[in-house]
């Protein structure tokens, strides 16, 4: 699908390895979109991905002509495999651009597989499927702690459509 995708003319794509103030601006804009999401500030992303001692993460950034960050995708390559560490956006229309550009990059780097870990909306899942991703069996569990006094055990908090969890939210491999 990335072969036939045409990037909008007003969208810029850049690959870098830093998280600057633009990530904070995107976080402030997009955080409301997902009631269940981990922090995505520049400080957090630098801690989670920028200072990783054994892996070099890269950041695929989508911005407008004014250099405002619209969406990003963090990834790393390990041999012939690429792992998506995080994907974040304010507008889901930018998911296709992120995935198409990553897959083009993966083909140039002779990657044989691209892996994403995601728990959340069917919009994102649908776009992943459109670009050839498929769901594999996984025994990982998501643990959600809610104080019964502050939130009932039903409602929007318990609807995965309101979630946006990626590899960036995993704090243990056990």
């Amino acid at each position: 699908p990335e072969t036939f995708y045409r990037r909008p003319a007003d969208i810029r794509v850049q690959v870098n390895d830093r998280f600057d103030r633009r990530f904070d601006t995107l976080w402030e804009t997009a955080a409301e979109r997902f009631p269940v999401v981990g922090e995505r500030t520049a400080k957090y992303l630098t801690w989670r991905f920028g200072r990783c001692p054994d892996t070099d993460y890269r950041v695929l950034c989508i911005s407008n002509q004014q250099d405002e960050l619209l969406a990003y995708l963090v990834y790393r390559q390990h041999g012939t495999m690429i792992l998506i560490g995080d994907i974040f956006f304010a507008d889901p229309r930018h998911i296709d651009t992120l995935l198409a550009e990553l897959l083009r990059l993966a083909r140039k780097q002779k990657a044989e597989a691209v892996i994403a870990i995601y728990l959340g909306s069917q919009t994102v899942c649908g776009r992943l499927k459109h670009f050839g991703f498929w769901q594999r069996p996984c025994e990982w569990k998501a643990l959600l702690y809610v104080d019964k006094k502050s939130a009932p055990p039903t409602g929007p908090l318990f609807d995965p459509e309101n979630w946006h969890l990626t590899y960036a939210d995993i704090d243990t491999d056990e």
Side-chain angles (χ1 to χ4, degrees):
E2 75 276 8
T3 302
F4 302 104
Y5 178 79
R6 296 292 171 246
R7 179 180 352 138
D10 59 339
I11 297 294
R12 295 176 48 207
V13 175
Q14 176 185 9
V15 176
N16 65 40
D17 56 3
R18 295 188 183 175
F19 302 97
D20 55 38
R21 61 166 180 71
R22 299 175 311 147
F23 289 82
D24 292 330
T25 303
L26 177 61
W27 169 245
E28 291 167 10
T29 303
E32 296 175 1
R33 173 175 191 75
F34 308 103
V36 179
V37 64
E39 181 178 332
R40 297 298 196 274
T41 61
K43 182 177 179 182
Y44 174 78
L45 293 168
T46 298
W47 171 81
R48 180 68 173 90
F49 297 113
R51 294 187 182 150
C52 190
D54 60 348
T55 302
D56 290 327
Y57 283 94
R58 303 299 316 239
V59 188
L60 180 67
C61 298
I62 306 296
S63 58
N64 61 19
Q65 297 298 324
Q66 294 76 38
D67 202 32
E68 296 168 326
L69 187 64
L70 303 172
Y72 70 83
L73 187 149
V74 179
Y75 70 95
R76 69 180 171 105
Q77 186 163 0
H78 180 72
T80 60
M81 178 178 65
I82 290 181
L83 171 69
I84 297 175
D86 194 23
I87 184 170
F88 198 66
F89 50 87
D91 185 334
R93 291 180 300 158
H94 299 299
I95 296 169
D96 284 6
T97 304
L98 288 170
L99 294 175
E101 295 295 335
L102 178 70
L103 293 174
R104 287 175 183 153
L105 186 82
R107 289 190 192 283
K108 285 180 187 174
Q109 295 177 351
K110 307 286 189 223
E112 295 175 5
V114 178
I115 299 169
I117 296 171
Y118 180 74
L119 177 60
S121 81
Q122 286 304 307
T123 299
V124 176
C125 292
R127 298 325 301 154
L128 287 166
K129 282 183 183 179
H130 173 77
F131 279 92
F133 289 80
W134 50 280
Q135 186 174 354
R136 295 175 60 182
C138 180
E139 294 186 18
W140 287 1
K141 306 285 186 237
L143 178 64
L144 178 65
Y145 173 79
V146 178
D147 182 4
K148 290 180 184 178
K149 294 176 184 174
S150 63
T154 59
L157 186 60
F158 293 88
D159 181 358
E161 282 299 308
N162 294 319
W163 297 14
H164 185 81
L165 302 174
T166 69
Y167 185 77
D169 301 298
I170 296 174
D171 58 1
T172 180
D173 288 334
E174 297 297 321

